[in-house]
Amino acid sequence: MNAGKGLQTGFLAMLASLLIAGPVHALTPDDFETQEYRNSTGLWVINASQAYAKGYTGKGITLGVLDTGVNSGHFEFQGKDIVWVPCKGYIYDWVTNGHGSHVAGIMTANRDGVDIPGNMHGVAFDANLIAMGTFLDGVHESPMGELIKAVLARPDVKIVNNSWGDSLFFLDNLFKAKSNEEKTKTLTELRDVISGYRADSFLENLAQQDKLMVFAAGNAGHRGPSAPASFRSFLPDLDNWISVVALDSTGGRISMASDGKTKVLTDSAIPTYSELAMGAEEYTLAAPGTWINSVDATGGYTELIGTSMAAPYVSGTLGLVQQAFPWMSARQMADTVLSTADRSFNAPKSIISIGEDRVTDSGTGKPITKLEIRLQLVDKGNNYWDRNQTTVAIPSAGTPERTRLETYLRQYYQENETLVYGYYGIKTPDEFIAAFFATEDNPYEITLSDGTLYGTLYGSIQKVPFDQISDRG
């Protein structure tokens, strides 16, 4: 399957699956599109109000969230049944460990109508939570096996959100491998990593006990998701797995066409930080993930970016599906959202991603990151080409083709300066353009929407200490 199929069929975690269920309430979608709804950033993108008008709000459902813990004392979680599984012996600092509360808010924050700045609500605002606190400060972490036992003890909890992952990009590494030896090395590392997760009963037990695992794809700009979001590509029987990539719905990057139904995605609607779907097309969805307003664990609200923010939109949506179809298995729920995702949008003409690959500095022996700016463009059939392409030359400096490409790169940087500079430290459009052309290996062919071919090369521009970027987003 080419990389384009998944990106075309998996964009937007829509709620179309719920429209086949019978109506429960006489309310209309407009009744739910309040200021609180709009403050929730991405609910309009996934058409959440249509599900609410059908009476599906997550009531009676308990969702799982495996993260840094959830501050159940926040007023957005008042009145909810929250089972708290904290790291034993750890005193939670909600300034340091606010990530989980923000994620949980996107999933389940109350729809309370309170008139305060930023007030928002979650996708499944009537759902309850089982909150498992881990990944705290690099020293205090709950063993994965203990947390999995907590989930397995709750047969009613079918959906677990996972906004975490390792900086391991097996799909990308296999694609870039230049020799059988490099492929063998990657596959050996993959087997070792999977064995480690199996030791914690993380894989087969979850599948056998009917748990649907929703994973953030990662925030390092690779073509395929990080591990363990990518595990289903290597373990086909792991059919309880969904990977989620991020969209940017801010600044008009996603809009509604004149027909009132079709969404239009600009070139910058796919943020540079998001891992994409190469090799994971059949189990990938996309949802809003950029500057998402949700719960601040210390009180009030805050905006964050990352695929961590996109995954809970899908988990919350699945909670509504579970409410509508409580008899469904994890696989059936996954198949429902994957098969009914919105495929009628107008695709962007191009995607720029900036991959971060962890390598070892030959001089110091310390880990660093290598940045690779990649441009992927869409052909006339709206497919994303990333594999099995032939080598063509980069346009020479001063040619019309080179000028056209540089103009596009400059415009893209200007539209996305905050993200590109904030994540990667690229300060100017000229530096961005220079980075794009600073490479000597791995050529591939891309096709513009008008059929014009460009050849580009992956490469690095600068060395950044890995510990400065590994925990962003």
Side-chain angles (χ1 to χ4, degrees):
M1 179 183 296
N2 67 48
K5 184 173 182 181
L7 285 169
Q8 176 67 10
T9 59
F11 276 138
L12 304 183
M14 302 299 288
L15 305 180
S17 57
L18 298 179
L19 301 182
I20 63 175
V24 177
H25 291 278
L27 296 175
T28 69
D30 289 345
D31 293 324
F32 290 93
E33 294 175 8
T34 63
Q35 186 61 49
E36 187 177 8
Y37 179 95
R38 291 187 289 273
N39 285 346
S40 303
T41 315
L43 293 180
W44 73 273
V45 178
I46 65 170
N47 293 346
S49 60
Q50 294 185 31
Y52 302 154
K54 291 282 184 178
Y56 304 115
T57 62
K59 191 174 182 61
I61 301 303
T62 298
L63 300 173
V65 55
L66 180 57
D67 213 294
T68 63
V70 175
N71 184 359
S72 57
H74 194 286
F75 57 84
E76 283 291 358
F77 302 123
Q78 286 182 2
K80 292 187 180 296
D81 179 11
I82 298 183
V83 177
W84 177 217
V85 186
C87 177
K88 294 179 180 178
Y90 181 74
I91 299 175
Y92 277 75
D93 170 8
W94 295 117
V95 174
T96 303
N97 296 301
H99 189 278
S101 298
H102 194 272
V103 167
I106 297 169
M107 294 167 63
T108 67
N110 285 322
R111 181 175 181 264
D112 50 28
V114 177
D115 185 17
I116 57 175
N119 185 34
M120 48 72 66
H121 67 75
V123 180
F125 53 80
D126 278 336
N128 296 313
L129 281 173
I130 175 170
M132 294 158 282
T134 187
F135 317 116
L136 304 173
D137 55 17
V139 178
H140 301 89
E141 294 186 1
S142 292
M144 184 68 72
E146 291 186 11
L147 299 174
I148 296 307
K149 288 179 182 178
V151 177
L152 296 178
R154 292 288 301 270
D156 59 316
V157 178
K158 294 184 177 182
I159 300 150
V160 181
N161 188 86
N162 300 268
S163 294
W164 56 273
D166 296 319
S167 296
L168 300 170
F169 303 97
F170 297 115
L171 290 168
D172 221 47
N173 291 341
L174 286 171
F175 172 68
K176 292 190 299 183
K178 299 176 183 177
S179 65
N180 288 332
E181 288 77 12
E182 288 185 12
K183 290 182 179 179
T184 299
K185 181 180 178 181
T186 296
L187 290 173
T188 299
E189 183 181 8
L190 169 66
R191 283 193 292 267
D192 291 342
V193 170
I194 288 177
S195 294
Y197 278 96
R198 279 181 167 147
D200 273 332
S201 301
F202 189 71
L203 299 175
E204 283 76 5
N205 278 354
L206 289 165
Q208 292 168 2
Q209 297 298 319
D210 203 30
K211 308 300 181 185
L212 177 50
M213 306 298 283
V214 180
F215 275 91
N219 302 318
H222 290 80
R223 290 156 292 191
S226 62
S230 63
F231 279 178
R232 185 171 171 178
S233 296
F234 307 101
L235 301 168
D237 293 336
L238 207 64
D239 54 16
N240 62 328
W241 230 247
I242 290 178
S243 176
V244 185
V245 303
L247 299 173
D248 186 349
S249 59
T250 66
R253 290 174 173 85
I254 300 178
S255 59
M256 194 71 72
S258 57
D259 62 9
K261 298 178 181 179
T262 305
K263 291 187 174 65
V264 179
L265 279 63
T266 69
D267 290 355
S268 53
I270 314 299
T272 53
Y273 62 80
S274 181
E275 254 69 89
L276 302 178
M278 187 185 72
E281 298 90 348
E282 293 186 350
Y283 59 96
T284 295
L285 288 168
T290 303
W291 301 124
I292 302 300
N293 179 47
S294 185
V295 168
D296 183 336
T298 64
Y301 306 92
T302 189
E303 293 183 347
L304 296 178
I305 65 174
T307 57
S308 287
M309 286 60 253
Y313 276 105
V314 175
S315 296
T317 297
L318 284 161
L320 305 185
V321 173
Q322 183 183 350
Q323 180 189 0
F325 306 104
W327 47 267
M328 280 188 174
S329 66
R331 177 177 180 177
Q332 288 170 324
M333 287 191 293
D335 287 347
T336 297
V337 295
L338 290 165
S339 63
T340 62
D342 187 1
R343 296 181 294 275
S344 62
F345 61 90
N346 291 336
K349 294 181 179 180
S350 58
I351 297 174
I352 287 182
S353 59
I354 306 180
E356 298 174 353
D357 289 322
R358 187 173 186 174
V359 297
T360 301
D361 186 277
S362 57
T364 65
K366 295 181 178 180
I368 58 173
T369 56
K370 182 175 68 173
L371 298 186
E372 298 179 337
I373 296 181
R374 308 164 178 139
L375 175 60
Q376 304 171 55
L377 294 130
V378 184
D379 72 358
K380 292 181 180 179
N382 283 340
N383 295 316
Y384 290 80
W385 293 97
D386 230 329
R387 290 187 270 187
N388 303 320
Q389 305 296 327
T390 58
T391 302
V392 294
I394 292 178
S396 301
T399 63
E401 292 80 9
R402 177 69 167 249
T403 300
R404 178 186 178 192
L405 185 54
E406 289 185 359
T407 298
Y408 173 80
L409 293 170
R410 187 178 303 279
Q411 178 182 348
Y412 188 96
Y413 180 87
Q414 291 170 343
E415 292 177 354
N416 297 274
E417 180 177 1
T418 300
L419 284 178
V420 176
Y421 175 63
Y423 260 86
Y424 307 107
I426 300 177
K427 300 177 181 178
T428 66
D430 288 337
E431 186 178 343
F432 186 65
I433 292 170
F436 181 76
F437 291 107
T439 183
E440 296 179 356
D441 60 358
N442 274 350
Y444 76 110
E445 179 183 293
I446 53 181
T447 309
L448 289 173
S449 56
D450 63 3
T452 305
L453 295 182
Y454 277 133
T456 65
L457 304 173
Y458 298 89
S460 60
I461 176 177
Q462 59 182 333
K463 294 180 178 180
V464 181
F466 187 76
D467 59 2
Q468 290 184 13
I469 54 86
S470 61
D471 62 347
R472 295 191 184 184

